[in-house]
Amino acid sequence: MRRHTAKENLISAALGISIGSALAITSLHFQKIQRVKCAKELYAVQMEQERQYEADRAEALREEAIAESEQIAEENYQAELELLACLVYAEAGNQDLMGKRLVADTVLNRVDSPDFPDTISGVIYQKNQFTPVSNGALDRAFTDVTPDCYKAVSMELEERADWNVLYFSSDGFQPYGTLAFKYQDHYFNYE
């Protein structure tokens, strides 16, 4: 077997060091690439988590707003029905259940008509439409309204006694609309 000369041994050692250094540098470079890749992946995961958190938060806020809106709408609806019951009392408190129902029908039919406001309060408070609004009887009705007025409103919400009445008066048939009928103290007109 041949022995290496000192020069060859030095070259071999230098080559080994060079190769080892190159391998070490390559390994360090590879580790750096891996760290960068891990950092990018971690950043992507963090960004996705933040996006999901924001999306979940936005959905929760939307659901909360919808629930609040529905609660407000329900409260407004109940207030509208109470207002209608008070008007029924102020206009027909001395009449039987059918007389009360016909007053409620007049308001509800107006809400459904394109010629009048589309809310109960809008119809009731429309200028010069209901005397109890202007003479204060409606305000007093909030403390005096009776259960049968609420019953009349409830019955009319389920099924109206008359889908056509739009006007009534206690002073006789009015010159507007079509004369319809008299019931107890009120004269009713159709459109």
Side-chain angles (χ1 to χ4, degrees):
M1 171 170 299
R2 177 178 169 279
R3 291 192 121 200
H4 294 283
T5 65
K7 188 176 178 183
E8 289 174 333
N9 283 339
L10 279 176
I11 292 174
S12 279
L15 222 104
I17 291 172
S18 294
I19 291 173
S21 294
L23 287 174
I25 291 170
T26 303
S27 176
L28 289 174
H29 184 67
F30 180 73
Q31 289 174 1
K32 184 178 178 183
I33 290 171
Q34 288 300 99
R35 283 195 308 271
V36 169
K37 184 178 176 185
C38 286
K40 285 181 180 177
E41 289 172 356
L42 180 60
Y43 178 75
V45 167
Q46 288 173 338
M47 296 286 44
E48 177 58 25
Q49 287 173 341
E50 285 182 28
R51 189 201 61 75
Q52 187 60 47
Y53 171 78
E54 289 300 323
D56 291 346
R57 186 166 182 257
E59 179 63 20
L61 289 173
R62 187 182 74 76
E63 288 175 4
E64 185 179 308
I66 289 171
E68 188 175 316
S69 175
E70 288 172 350
Q71 180 182 355
I72 290 169
E74 179 61 26
E75 289 170 5
N76 287 344
Y77 179 71
Q78 293 304 321
E80 292 270 294
L81 296 181
E82 182 177 10
L83 177 63
L84 180 56
C86 290
L87 180 75
V88 166
Y89 178 79
E91 289 282 11
N94 64 340
Q95 296 185 32
D96 67 8
L97 187 59
M98 181 53 78
K100 290 175 175 65
R101 289 180 68 182
L102 289 168
V103 169
D105 279 342
T106 302
V107 174
L108 294 173
N109 291 344
R110 286 184 180 193
V111 170
D112 292 343
S113 170
D115 298 330
F116 293 93
D118 61 357
T119 63
I120 291 171
S121 57
V123 166
I124 291 174
Y125 290 114
Q126 189 176 18
K127 189 173 180 176
N128 299 324
Q129 295 301 305
F130 295 97
T131 303
V133 172
S134 59
N135 70 14
L138 181 61
D139 293 334
R140 290 188 300 278
F142 279 91
T143 58
D144 299 332
V145 65
T146 57
D148 58 332
C149 294
Y150 287 105
K151 181 178 180 180
V153 169
S154 177
M155 291 174 76
E156 294 316 297
L157 291 173
E158 289 179 25
E159 185 175 341
R160 295 199 192 150
D162 192 311
W163 286 87
N164 298 308
V165 294
L166 286 177
Y167 308 99
F168 69 88
S169 172
S170 58
D171 298 332
F173 288 109
Q174 297 301 305
Y176 40 84
T178 305
L179 305 181
F181 58 90
K182 179 183 186 294
Y183 188 85
Q184 293 186 340
D185 295 339
H186 287 135
Y187 297 84
F188 291 88
N189 290 19
Y190 295 142
E191 188 171 8

